[in-house]
Amino acid sequence: MTQVTRRELFPGVWLRTVHTDKFKSSYLSLTMLVPLERERAAANALLFPVLRRGTREHPDMESLSAALDELYGGAIEPIVRKKGETQCLGFVASFLDDAFAPGGEPILEPAAGLLGELLLDPVTHGGRFLSSYVESEKANLIDAIRGLKNDKRDWADIRLMQEMCAGEPYSVLRLGDEETAGRITNQSLYVHGQALMASSRVEVIYCGSAEAQRVEDAVLTALAALPRGAQTALPEVQRIQAPDTPRRIVETMDVTQGKLAMGFRTGGVTCWEEEYPAMAMCNAVFGGTTLSKLFMNVREKLSLCYYASSTLEKMKGLILVSSGIEFDKFQQARDEILHQLEEIRQGNMEDWELEGTRRTMIGAHLATLDVQDRQEDFWLGQTAAGLETGIEELVAQLEQVT
């Protein structure tokens, strides 16, 4: 039986515990939720990889690896995510669940302590991060940003997002951009990090067998030195209506396969609305599964695309279509994708399409309960959206969609 609780430990620091005996490992994440802003996105993305390089007690990767080995091969890694127009940066930790530790040895407390040490006691010199660590991780970040162009499918989707949401926070990449990343120094990143520690909202999520009170005590001890000041509020997601005339943007690259990306506004419907389960089902019937109209008709039956799928950005209220096409089939593919969307708008779908999609979606949601990092990511997304709807509740809502 899984029990989920959430409470505020101290100002702006929240703990969610997902109590379950299903796993042999425990999962603990610490995430700072900040507004997605072009000027700060790269510094935010760089901060936690630099923090992961070392602490005063464990000043390099070798000594940190030794400390993790003492936790029976535990792992703590930096992670940067984007949930709507919120940038989520932090650490995720995985370690042996206490129930399986030899001789009942406690693992939770030292694991939480090491995570807190990485966050609050980094190795520094002269009131700043070590220059070698910052420059090394900055080079990795810039390489990752440049590398986004290497996967042309992903790049087409990124360009769609940048053009469709130009001027909106959602157009900012989760890693930031190369120009602002290049200007970061060890001093500026240290100052930025200190400000974040005091002002950002912090969400801690635990999934494992430990009781909630014990997790709370471990987290409170680990974060005792976390400074708290005025909290930066997360802005409301900008809801923009679709323009009267769709925009078509063509970019030329040296590729052998064309990429057709299409974006649709959902009329303001996001995960906050009662209509969300129906919108999620709509997207799944359209292009979200291998039973979808895009897959079965545009790809399989008509062979107009090498691939064709759609995704729902639930917090922003967007449906995004991704497809690979022959250059000379652009118009046919575009028209057929729009035709399949119109079929759904007119209610033209077979019972097997709706029910097959429903079963696929429900199966995928329930499978989340069997994977710790997916549960953590689900609850982080719910938190960023200001929701407390659980997986089982979402399944019940999907059952009611007609």
Side-chain angles (χ1 to χ4, degrees), residues 38 57 240 378:
R38 182 182 182 276
E57 186 174 346
I240 309 297
F378 168 83

Side-chain angles (χ1 to χ4, degrees), residues 61-95:
M61 299 293 281
E62 183 179 359
S63 57
L64 278 172
S65 295
L68 288 166
D69 286 343
E70 292 179 6
L71 299 175
Y72 298 95
I76 301 178
E77 298 298 335
I79 188 170
V80 183
R81 288 170 280 188
K82 173 179 172 179
K83 301 292 185 182
E85 292 175 339
T86 298
Q87 191 179 16
C88 306
L89 45 143
F91 288 123
V92 291
S94 179
F95 47 91

Side-chain angles (χ1 to χ4, degrees), residues 76-355:
I76 301 178
E77 298 298 335
I79 188 170
V80 183
R81 288 170 280 188
K82 173 179 172 179
K83 301 292 185 182
E85 292 175 339
T86 298
Q87 191 179 16
C88 306
L89 45 143
F91 288 123
V92 291
S94 179
F95 47 91
L96 184 68
D97 194 275
D98 287 350
F100 298 91
E105 179 183 353
I107 308 296
L108 169 61
E109 285 78 6
L114 183 56
L115 190 151
E117 182 183 325
L118 285 166
L119 181 73
L120 299 171
D121 197 19
V123 59
T124 58
H125 179 72
R128 64 191 69 183
F129 292 126
L130 300 188
S131 179
S132 59
Y133 287 179
V134 172
E135 292 305 312
S136 174
E137 294 301 333
K138 185 166 73 171
N140 291 339
L141 176 62
I142 291 174
D143 284 345
I145 294 171
R146 289 175 178 170
L148 294 173
K149 288 187 178 182
N150 293 336
D151 187 318
K152 299 303 186 289
R153 177 175 180 171
D154 287 347
W155 183 244
D157 296 340
I158 287 171
R159 290 294 298 122
L160 168 68
M161 175 265 296
Q162 290 177 329
E163 292 291 343
M164 185 178 181
C165 300
E168 304 169 45
Y170 192 74
S171 67
V172 178
L173 294 172
R174 68 179 179 87
L175 297 179
D177 62 86
E178 183 178 346
E179 179 186 351
T180 52
R183 294 198 297 263
I184 299 171
T185 67
N186 59 333
Q187 174 66 22
S188 69
L189 185 64
Y190 183 80
V191 172
H192 177 75
Q194 292 299 107
L196 270 186
M197 296 296 166
S199 65
S200 63
R201 178 171 149 196
V202 177
E203 189 77 15
V204 180
I205 301 176
Y206 169 82
C207 181
S209 68
E211 295 297 330
Q213 185 59 55
R214 184 177 162 213
V215 178
E216 180 179 326
D217 292 343
V219 172
L220 280 170
T221 299
L223 300 183
L226 180 68
R228 293 281 82 189
Q231 303 298 295
T232 300
L234 297 179
E236 289 286 333
V237 174
Q238 294 186 17
R239 303 186 187 189
I240 309 297
Q241 293 298 318
D244 294 333
T245 304
R247 289 187 296 146
R248 174 181 169 180
I249 296 168
V250 178
E251 295 185 358
T252 302
M253 299 183 76
D254 184 16
V255 293
T256 58
Q257 182 189 110
K259 308 298 180 186
L260 170 58
M262 303 172 69
F264 305 85
R265 304 277 184 176
T266 65
V269 177
T270 69
C271 58
W272 285 275
E273 275 74 38
E274 293 181 0
E275 300 96 326
Y276 168 69
M279 178 61 71
M281 188 83 81
C282 169
N283 171 70
V285 173
F286 181 40
T289 74
T290 54
L291 297 173
S292 69
K293 289 184 177 293
L294 293 187
F295 186 89
M296 298 292 288
N297 295 299
V298 185
R299 181 186 186 274
E300 294 293 294
K301 182 179 178 180
L302 299 174
S303 299
L304 291 174
C305 299
Y306 295 104
Y307 61 87
S309 63
S310 67
T311 56
L312 172 63
E313 172 43 62
K314 66 179 186 179
M315 289 184 64
K316 182 62 175 171
L318 304 174
I319 286 181
L320 308 174
V321 172
S322 178
S323 63
I325 61 173
E326 295 284 358
F327 298 127
D328 60 357
K329 290 186 177 180
F330 161 75
Q331 194 64 43
Q332 286 177 276
R334 172 194 176 277
D335 291 347
E336 189 59 34
I337 288 170
L338 292 175
H339 171 68
Q340 295 301 327
L341 182 59
E342 185 62 25
E343 288 288 284
I344 297 173
R345 294 182 63 205
Q346 298 301 326
N348 296 330
M349 65 190 80
E350 302 292 337
D351 289 343
W352 66 263
E353 290 181 278
L354 187 63
E355 292 310 314

